[in-house]
Amino acid sequence: MKKSALQVARAAYQPKMPKALSGAVKAEFGAATESVANQSEIKELFPNTYGMPIIKFVSTNAKEEASPINVGVILSGGQAPGGHNVISGLFDGIKSVNDKSRLYGFILGPGGLVDHKYMELTADIVDEYRNTGGFDIIGSGRTKLETKEQYDKGLEILKQLNITALVIIGGDDSNTNACVLAEYYAANNTGVQVIGCPKTIDGDLKNEQIETSFGFDTACKVYSEVIGNIQRDCNSARKYWHFIKLMGRSASHIALECALQVQPNICLISEEIEAKNESLDDVVTYIAQIVANRAEKGNNFGTVLIPEGLIEFIPAMKALIAELNDFLAKSKDEFALIKKSAQREYIISKLSKANAEIYASLPEGVARQLSLDRDPHGNVQVSLIETEKLLSDMVAAKLEQWKKEGKFCGKFAAQHHFFGYEGRCAAPSNYDADYCYSLGFTASALIATGKTGYMSSVRNTTAPAENWIAGGIPITMMMNMERRHGEMKPVIQKALVKLDGAPFKAFEAQRAEWAINTAYVYPGPIQYFGPTEVCDQPTKTLTLERQ
Ligand code: FBP
C-alpha cells in the first residue's frame, strides 16, 4: 500500500507511556466502590462485578513467569483517533506477558463476535497500523450485545479460539455492553474476562477516574483547525455568517472545546439551554440579537458553533423526542406500514396535545428526521438533523421581521457546515497516540491480573507521560438506571458539560467579548513533530478541569 511521507515518519513514532508500565507491574487495590446512582438496583443486576476496588499498577522487581493468553478485541461504535494504538498497546502488552500470547480481532464491531467473524492480529498486521487513525484494522459496528443468545454465540467462538479475555473498545453504550457481558460470563463461570476501554470523540465518557475518552483530543484539534480557517475566511470576506454544527451526539464537550480554542462569536451549549429552560425561539433570538449588535458596528459576519445534540436539550423538544421514542419503539411495525406522505399526520394523531403541536410546527425536513429509525441503542440519529440550517433559517426570518420593525439594519447571509466525519479518523495527535497505547497496555495488565468488568484507566494525563497513572476502574461504578426503548436499563452515566465546571466558566467569562469583537484564534493543523508546547498539549477542557 502506498504511504504518504507523514505516514512513514509516523509509523516509527514510539508512544510515550507511564513509567510504571515499563517493566513488571503489580496491582494495588483501593476500597470497595459503589455505582454513581441507583446502587441497590445495579448491585442486584451485577452481583458478580459490583463493588470491586479501583486498581492502580505500580512497578515491581518481581517479574513472574506467566502462561500465554489468547485475547479477543472489538472496536465498537463511532470511529475515534487512536483505536489502532489501543490495539498495538494491547498486542505489545500481552506479548510482554508471554510472547506466545495471541490477539484476535472481531470484524465490524460486536456483530463479529456473534457471527464468528474474526482474524488473528499478527505483528505484521499490527505494525501496519501503529499511530494511524481509523478503525479499519478490523472495522467497527454498532450492534448492541443484549441477548443471552448473543452472549452464548460469542462464547462458542471464544472457547473455540481458546480466548480467555475480551477487550471492548467503545463509548458509554459499548462499555455498558462490556459490563453486562462481564457479569454474564462471570455468573456462568465461563472463565472469560471482559475489559473495556474509554473511546469516543464526544468526550462524554469521563468521570473522577476516567479523565477523558480517547479521540476527543484529536477530533477537537481537527475541527478547531478548520473552524479557524473558516474564521480567517470570514474575517477576510466579511459577508457571511457561518453556522457550524459539530458532532457530539449528546453532550456539548466538542463545541465547548472548539470554542475555547477558536473564540467564535457564538457557541451554543445544549446543557445551558436545558438548564435555563429555553425554547427554540429563545435560542434563535439570542443568535439574532448578536447578529444585529455586530451589524450595528458594520460587521455582517460571524461564526456560530452548534452542538449536534442541541435539539434534544431544548426542554420542549426533549419531551417531544421522549414521547416519539416510546411511541416508535412500541408501534414500530404499525408505523412501517404507513405511507411516507401520511407519516407526519399519523404521528401528530398519536402524540399528546402539547407534543403534537410542537411536532406540527417543525419544518417538514426536521420533523421527518426526528421520526427516522433510532440507532441500535435507541438514540435519535442527531447527526442527520440539520440544526445548523434550521437555526439559520429561523434567524433569517426573525431578522426580516426586525428589519420591518426598524430593529435590524444589516445584511444576513449564511453558510452551513457540519464537522464530524472529518475528524473521527484523523491520525491521532501525540496525546491520543500516547494515551491510547497506554490504555491498551494497561488492559493487558488487567487481563494478566485476572480481572473482569474493569475499564482500563490512565490518569494524570496533563503531566508528562512518564508520570501518568495506569489502572482499572470497575465499570459498575459508572452505572445508573435510565429509560431506553421505553424500559429502565442499567447504563453508564453520560458525562454532560458541567455548568459549574472550569471549562464552561472560562467560556462564560469571555463569550460576551467574543460575540461583539472579532477575537478569533487560528489554531492551525495538528503538529506531530516539533516543540512540546506545539505538539503535546492536551485539550483546554482537560487542562482547565485539572487545574
Ligand atoms: P460514539 O459515541 O459511538 O463514539 O459515536 C460518536 C459519534 O461520532 C457521534 O458524535 C455521532 O453522533 C455519531 O457517532 C454518528 O454515528 P454514525 O456515523 O454511526 O451515524
Side-chain angles (χ1 to χ4, degrees), residues 77-78 142 199-202 247-249 308 381 383 421 424:
R142 290 196 186 275
K199 168 237 70 164
T200 177
I201 59 162
D202 293 4
M247 257 191 187
R249 189 175 52 214
E308 182 184 51
Q381 300 192 51
S383 60
Y421 298 103
R424 291 205 315 188

Side-chain angles (χ1 to χ4, degrees), residues 192-251:
V192 176
Q193 304 159 245
V194 183
I195 301 295
C197 273
K199 168 237 70 164
T200 177
I201 59 162
D202 293 4
D204 56 9
L205 173 47
K206 63 175 172 183
N207 47 52
E208 288 287 298
Q209 311 296 338
I210 304 293
E211 286 180 2
T212 186
S213 53
F214 77 76
F216 176 68
D217 182 271
T218 311
C220 288
K221 284 175 178 159
V222 173
Y223 305 143
S224 298
E225 178 209 348
V226 186
I227 301 165
N229 295 348
I230 288 176
Q231 294 193 147
R232 276 268 199 217
D233 194 285
C234 176
N235 200 10
S236 305
R238 306 195 178 183
K239 61 177 181 185
Y240 292 127
W241 270 88
H242 291 266
F243 283 70
I244 305 166
K245 182 172 80 169
L246 291 159
M247 257 191 187
R249 189 175 52 214
S250 194

Side-chain angles (χ1 to χ4, degrees), residues 55-68:
I55 292 176
K56 176 178 163 186
F57 289 116
V58 293
S59 4
T60 169
N61 292 329
K63 173 132 177 113
E64 283 168 25
E65 275 301 304
S67 320

